[in-house]
Amino acid sequence: MATRISGELPNIIKISRLFKVLGNPKRLQLIYLLIQKSMSVSEISSTLNWEQSGVSHQLQLLRKYNLVQQHRHGKVVIYHLDDPKVMTLIADALSHAEDIVK
């Protein structure tokens, strides 16, 4: 039985792009941090011991793919991840990694 792929190709490309974004260890670490709690660039920078410019660059890319949202709290921009699908994807990946890497 042949698998139907041609009509699903645009979605496969989108999935590939998503995994490429999530495949970067720094971005994955940043996403995992934001799953725990919302934070500003300076809080993220301090927690992960990264330069603020690097944090901002990674957040900009994650925002481009709608993986991270932001809201303003006074003069401070707070970043958060509130997409349950992304949270589930990360949790499932972590669980799977624990199962295969023993």
Side-chain angles (χ1 to χ4, degrees):
M1 183 169 159
T3 303
R4 185 175 163 252
I5 293 182
S6 61
E8 298 169 2
L9 192 57
N11 287 334
I12 288 172
I13 291 169
K14 288 178 184 177
I15 292 167
S16 176
R17 288 181 185 150
L18 173 64
F19 280 124
K20 183 176 180 181
V21 170
L22 294 176
N24 179 288
K26 282 195 150 196
R27 283 192 290 271
L28 202 50
Q29 187 178 15
L30 178 53
I31 290 171
Y32 186 74
L33 182 66
L34 291 176
I35 287 173
Q36 310 306 311
K37 68 177 197 170
S38 300
M39 301 177 89
S40 68
V41 171
S42 61
E43 291 172 316
I44 295 166
S45 176
S46 177
T47 302
L48 297 177
N49 197 27
W50 297 355
E51 295 290 329
Q52 285 191 11
S53 61
V55 172
S56 294
H57 174 75
Q58 297 302 331
L59 286 168
Q60 180 181 14
L61 184 61
L62 293 172
R63 284 187 62 228
K64 177 182 175 181
Y65 286 92
N66 296 316
L67 297 173
V68 171
Q69 289 80 38
Q70 69 178 31
H71 67 275
R72 189 168 291 281
H73 186 72
K75 292 184 178 184
V76 178
V77 177
I78 304 296
Y79 292 88
H80 58 99
L81 179 76
D82 64 357
D83 184 339
K85 292 177 184 176
V86 173
M87 291 179 189
T88 300
L89 180 62
I90 300 299
D92 288 348
L94 284 169
S95 176
H96 184 69
E98 289 173 0
D99 289 344
I100 61 171
V101 180
K102 291 188 178 189

